[in-house]
Short mmCIF file of all heavy atoms in Angstrom, two decimals:
data_model
loop_
_atom_site.label_atom_id
_atom_site.label_comp_id
_atom_site.label_asym_id
_atom_site.label_seq_id
_atom_site.Cartn_x
_atom_site.Cartn_y
_atom_site.Cartn_z
N PRO A 253 178.10 81.74 78.10
CA PRO A 253 177.26 81.32 79.19
C PRO A 253 176.33 82.41 79.67
O PRO A 253 176.78 83.58 79.86
CB PRO A 253 178.36 80.92 80.31
CG PRO A 253 179.61 80.73 79.55
CD PRO A 253 179.60 81.72 78.38
N SER A 254 175.14 82.06 79.96
CA SER A 254 174.11 82.98 80.45
C SER A 254 174.42 83.30 81.93
O SER A 254 174.80 82.49 82.69
CB SER A 254 172.73 82.38 80.27
OG SER A 254 172.38 82.30 78.95
N LYS A 255 174.13 84.53 82.32
CA LYS A 255 174.31 84.91 83.68
C LYS A 255 173.24 84.47 84.56
O LYS A 255 173.45 84.27 85.77
CB LYS A 255 174.51 86.45 83.77
CG LYS A 255 175.73 87.02 83.07
CD LYS A 255 175.78 88.49 83.21
CE LYS A 255 176.95 89.13 82.52
NZ LYS A 255 177.02 90.64 82.65
N SER A 256 172.00 84.26 83.98
CA SER A 256 170.88 83.89 84.75
C SER A 256 169.92 83.28 83.83
O SER A 256 169.95 83.19 82.65
CB SER A 256 170.26 85.10 85.48
OG SER A 256 169.65 85.91 84.56
N GLY A 257 168.84 82.58 84.54
CA GLY A 257 167.78 82.02 83.74
C GLY A 257 167.03 83.10 82.95
O GLY A 257 166.56 82.88 81.89
N ARG A 258 166.94 84.32 83.54
CA ARG A 258 166.28 85.50 82.83
C ARG A 258 166.97 85.77 81.58
O ARG A 258 166.39 86.00 80.59
CB ARG A 258 166.15 86.60 83.86
CG ARG A 258 165.46 87.80 83.19
CD ARG A 258 165.39 89.01 84.17
NE ARG A 258 164.90 90.24 83.49
CZ ARG A 258 163.66 90.70 83.56
NH1 ARG A 258 162.86 90.12 84.30
NH2 ARG A 258 163.42 91.79 82.95
N ASP A 259 168.32 85.82 81.66
CA ASP A 259 169.14 86.14 80.50
C ASP A 259 168.84 85.07 79.42
O ASP A 259 168.68 85.47 78.20
CB ASP A 259 170.61 86.08 80.79
CG ASP A 259 171.03 87.28 81.64
OD1 ASP A 259 170.33 88.28 81.64
OD2 ASP A 259 172.12 87.20 82.36
N ALA A 260 168.70 83.91 79.77
CA ALA A 260 168.51 82.78 78.79
C ALA A 260 167.17 82.93 78.07
O ALA A 260 167.08 82.77 76.89
CB ALA A 260 168.62 81.44 79.50
N ILE A 261 166.05 83.28 78.85
CA ILE A 261 164.74 83.27 78.22
C ILE A 261 164.56 84.58 77.44
O ILE A 261 163.73 84.63 76.59
CB ILE A 261 163.63 83.10 79.23
CG1 ILE A 261 163.62 84.27 80.31
CG2 ILE A 261 163.75 81.73 79.96
CD1 ILE A 261 162.44 84.16 81.23
N LEU A 262 165.37 85.62 77.65
CA LEU A 262 165.29 86.89 76.87
C LEU A 262 166.03 86.74 75.62
O LEU A 262 165.76 87.58 74.74
CB LEU A 262 165.93 87.98 77.74
CG LEU A 262 165.05 88.50 78.99
CD1 LEU A 262 165.75 89.55 79.77
CD2 LEU A 262 163.63 88.86 78.57
N GLN A 263 166.87 85.81 75.37
CA GLN A 263 167.54 85.64 74.11
C GLN A 263 166.49 85.31 72.94
O GLN A 263 165.54 84.57 73.17
CB GLN A 263 168.57 84.57 74.16
CG GLN A 263 169.76 84.93 75.16
CD GLN A 263 170.63 83.73 75.40
OE1 GLN A 263 170.43 82.64 74.92
NE2 GLN A 263 171.71 83.97 76.19
N LYS A 264 166.92 85.73 71.77
CA LYS A 264 166.09 85.50 70.55
C LYS A 264 166.74 84.59 69.68
O LYS A 264 167.86 84.73 69.27
CB LYS A 264 165.78 86.75 69.86
CG LYS A 264 164.98 87.79 70.73
CD LYS A 264 164.75 89.17 69.98
CE LYS A 264 163.98 90.14 70.82
NZ LYS A 264 163.70 91.42 70.01
N ASN A 265 165.95 83.51 69.27
CA ASN A 265 166.41 82.49 68.33
C ASN A 265 165.39 82.20 67.21
O ASN A 265 164.21 82.40 67.50
CB ASN A 265 166.74 81.17 69.06
CG ASN A 265 167.85 81.38 70.08
OD1 ASN A 265 168.89 81.75 69.83
ND2 ASN A 265 167.49 81.16 71.39
N PRO A 266 165.84 81.85 66.09
CA PRO A 266 164.85 81.55 64.92
C PRO A 266 163.77 80.56 65.33
O PRO A 266 162.68 80.61 64.85
CB PRO A 266 165.75 81.08 63.83
CG PRO A 266 167.10 81.67 64.10
CD PRO A 266 167.21 81.60 65.60
N ASP A 267 164.12 79.63 66.13
CA ASP A 267 163.17 78.56 66.48
C ASP A 267 162.28 78.83 67.70
O ASP A 267 161.49 77.98 68.09
CB ASP A 267 163.94 77.25 66.77
CG ASP A 267 164.52 76.62 65.53
OD1 ASP A 267 163.99 76.93 64.42
OD2 ASP A 267 165.47 75.80 65.56
N ASP A 268 162.32 80.05 68.23
CA ASP A 268 161.45 80.40 69.29
C ASP A 268 160.01 80.32 68.88
O ASP A 268 159.75 80.66 67.69
CB ASP A 268 161.74 81.94 69.72
CG ASP A 268 163.06 82.12 70.45
OD1 ASP A 268 163.59 81.06 70.93
OD2 ASP A 268 163.60 83.24 70.43
#
Side-chain angles (χ1 to χ4, degrees):
S254 296
K255 294 181 180 179
S256 70
R258 181 180 169 104
D259 290 337
I261 65 174
L262 290 176
Q263 292 169 0
K264 297 180 180 180
N265 300 299
D267 289 338
D268 290 338

